[in-house]
Amino acid sequence: MSQINPRKLRISDFFYFLPEDKIAQFPKDKRDDSKLLIYRKGVISESNYSLLPVYLPTGCRLTFNNTRVIQARLLFQKPTGAMIEIFLLVPENEKEGLDPAINAKGKSSWKCLIGGAGKWKSGQLMSMTRKIAGQKIHLHAEITGKNSKNFTVEFTWQPESLSFSELLRHTGNIPIPPYLKRNADLKDKERYQTIYAAKEGSVAAPTAGLHFTDELMTNLSAKQIEVSYLTLHVGAGTFLPVKSDLMEGHSMHGEFLDVDRRTIGELILSAGKIFAVGTTSLRTIESLYWMGVKAAKNPEISVEEIWIRQWEIYDESSIGHPEVSLALQALLNWMEKNALERMMTKTEILIAPPYKTKMIRGLITNFHQPNSTLLLLVAAVIGEDWKQVYDYALNNEFRFLSYGDGCLLYTD
């Protein structure tokens, strides 16, 4: 890969033909029964996720994204029978983070996409009623704002004692990816979540983690493989293809990040031995490194200023950047100074060639869509060999995308 600024990358260089029949429509009956491609130093082999511990070094650390997918699709039916679909994106007040909006009672405002918006007249209130365990739940939605990208919708409900997250469990639908071209079923409610999902806020699953089972986690522990949990709430932008010819025309979506001091300490102890489970986990820990760089340069930096913007890691001089442990320690010092046990901020980090990852020895991930920022990330991890990996997967019965198979990609 030529050493050019990723702004000048042509997305057409990251295209491959993905036949419809290669896209996994449903998950395997058993999570860790999926196929696993192993790539290291240009050599490809294949195995099974249940045997993942065999291919990882003793004493390494895996980082998992423990976000939980919310039931972010809401379907309202008008008296005429017309359907209105609301897809939650982010809270109206993003600066406050996700927690206040998710935990709100009685009222919560969100930026949303709306299917059938032309049928929703100005000032019209959309309503639905659900009866759960003998209790009636009433939900109302009203458009309170609009811009070129989305709508602002205010939700109100009764009983007001319910939090917004509890309300969504009763009234929403799990947002399986649009490329599956089907409605979510009851099985998706379980299988489009990782077994370790804990913190609500994503509108898409961190799909590399969907392969892990309790048995597999036990076998990883038996090999003295450590695990760390962190949170990046996956946004709807993860499904958006890059539509501009050059990457400089693509706006990377921001996502909420939530990591505590203990986890950062674990990453310091495991520097050089970290494997990221999923692209969201990788984007999180690479963001932590750059936040540490910023904290080292300016210990007085604010929470809003410390978040990572799309291009800033490429605009930074590469001279004088600290080692991983020093950068993360600077971040810990900054958190202590600001009395933060947890750091909740945002990242827009775009990982693309010629970027060299700072934090990992390897990446465990699924197979991603052509012309996507996730494929750019894979190319940053293993260079031009991404083509070799994807050709092999296409020619050897691997299943692609969210419910598909995956790969273990070594950086060394």
Side-chain angles (χ1 to χ4, degrees):
M1 188 68 67
S2 59
Q3 295 297 299
I4 62 173
N5 189 298
R7 286 181 176 88
K8 301 303 180 183
L9 287 175
R10 293 189 177 277
I11 195 60
S12 57
D13 291 336
F14 299 88
F15 174 81
Y16 68 94
F17 178 65
L18 178 59
E20 286 283 330
D21 63 359
K22 295 294 184 181
I23 300 173
Q25 292 295 315
F26 297 92
K28 289 266 192 172
D29 289 338
K30 192 168 184 292
R31 288 177 183 264
D32 62 2
D33 196 32
S34 297
K35 293 176 70 173
L36 179 70
L37 180 152
I38 302 98
Y39 165 90
R40 191 171 189 182
K41 295 180 179 178
V43 178
I44 293 173
S45 58
E46 59 178 271
S47 184
N48 184 281
Y49 259 93
S50 63
L51 298 175
L52 176 63
V54 174
Y55 301 96
L56 292 170
T58 300
C60 69
R61 180 174 298 276
L62 302 185
T63 59
F64 291 92
N65 182 4
N66 66 357
T67 188
R68 186 170 186 83
V69 181
I70 60 175
Q71 295 184 196
R73 290 187 186 275
L74 295 160
L75 295 174
F76 291 83
Q77 187 169 22
K78 297 180 63 178
T80 61
M83 299 301 297
I84 303 292
E85 178 179 317
I86 302 176
F87 188 96
L88 303 174
L89 296 176
V90 292
E92 179 186 16
N93 191 343
E94 293 185 64
K95 289 186 178 180
E96 292 184 358
L98 273 171
D99 286 358
I102 285 286
N103 297 319
K105 296 188 175 183
K107 181 167 70 175
S108 189
S109 291
W110 287 69
K111 295 177 183 178
C112 305
L113 301 177
I114 299 178
K119 304 170 188 174
W120 191 344
K121 294 180 181 178
S122 176
Q124 185 177 22
L125 196 68
M126 291 292 161
S127 300
M128 74 166 76
T129 299
R130 295 286 186 269
K131 192 170 184 180
I132 308 295
Q135 179 185 42
K136 281 191 175 181
I137 297 173
H138 305 280
L139 172 62
H140 312 286
E142 182 180 4
I143 295 176
T144 57
K146 178 183 177 181
N147 60 36
S148 61
K149 295 182 179 179
N150 52 60
F151 296 81
T152 301
V153 179
E154 182 179 84
F155 298 96
T156 55
W157 61 91
Q158 298 87 34
E160 295 183 358
S161 58
L162 288 176
S163 69
F164 191 58
S165 64
E166 291 171 319
L167 176 84
L168 291 177
R169 287 177 214 143
H170 296 310
T171 59
N173 298 283
I174 203 76
I176 59 173
Y179 50 68
L180 293 183
K181 300 177 182 178
R182 63 175 178 83
N183 293 323
D185 58 25
L186 286 175
K187 190 173 185 179
D188 292 311
K189 290 184 72 172
E190 174 200 355
R191 293 298 302 274
Y192 199 60
Q193 301 277 14
T194 63
I195 63 167
Y196 47 81
K199 296 182 179 180
E200 291 186 304
S202 280
V203 297
T207 55
L210 297 179
H211 303 285
F212 287 78
T213 62
D214 290 329
E215 182 181 4
L216 178 52
M217 298 296 274
T218 297
N219 292 338
L220 289 167
S221 179
K223 196 175 177 180
Q224 300 176 357
I225 294 170
E226 305 287 344
V227 300
S228 290
Y229 296 99
L230 33 77
T231 308
L232 185 76
H233 293 304
V234 189
T238 193
F239 296 129
L240 294 178
V242 179
K243 295 182 178 178
S244 57
D245 184 33
L246 298 181
M247 284 306 300
E248 63 186 353
H250 180 75
S251 294
M252 196 69 179
H253 57 287
E255 294 171 318
F256 290 98
L257 175 157
D258 184 348
V259 182
D260 60 26
R261 290 174 52 82
R262 175 181 174 179
T263 301
I264 296 172
E266 291 171 349
L267 296 177
I268 291 174
L269 291 175
S270 296
K273 299 184 294 182
I274 297 170
F275 289 77
V277 178
T279 58
T280 60
S281 176
L282 177 57
R283 293 182 68 238
T284 303
I285 59 179
E286 292 294 316
S287 295
L288 292 177
Y289 170 82
W290 289 104
M291 289 175 184
V293 171
K294 294 172 81 167
K297 289 183 177 180
N298 178 16
E300 305 302 320
I301 196 169
S302 68
V303 174
E304 291 77 19
E305 292 170 324
I306 206 166
W307 92 15
I308 303 301
R309 272 69 177 182
Q310 177 171 342
W311 297 113
E312 68 177 310
I313 64 173
Y314 302 102
D315 296 334
E316 284 272 332
S317 168
S318 62
I319 299 173
H321 286 161
E323 294 294 323
V324 166
S325 297
L326 294 177
L328 295 184
Q329 187 59 55
L331 186 58
L332 278 182
N333 295 343
W334 175 83
M335 291 177 69
E336 183 176 4
K337 183 176 181 178
N338 288 277
L340 296 174
E341 182 58 34
R342 294 165 57 201
M343 182 176 61
M344 292 175 284
T345 183
K346 289 185 73 175
T347 181
E348 298 171 0
I349 193 169
L350 171 65
I351 297 176
Y355 183 79
K356 300 298 182 186
T357 55
K358 315 296 181 187
M359 295 289 298
I360 61 165
R361 190 177 173 195
L363 170 67
I364 299 167
T365 189
N366 283 25
F367 295 99
H368 305 293
Q369 290 177 289
N371 293 356
S372 66
T373 57
L374 301 182
L375 189 55
L376 287 173
L377 182 149
V378 170
V381 172
I382 61 172
E384 290 281 6
D385 280 359
W386 75 264
K387 297 175 183 177
Q388 178 187 348
V389 166
Y390 275 60
D391 282 346
Y392 184 96
L394 286 166
N395 292 319
N396 288 275
E397 303 304 319
F398 280 77
R399 303 159 74 241
F400 278 60
L401 307 187
S402 294
Y403 277 145
D405 300 314
C407 49
L408 166 61
L409 309 174
Y410 272 83
T411 61
D412 59 9

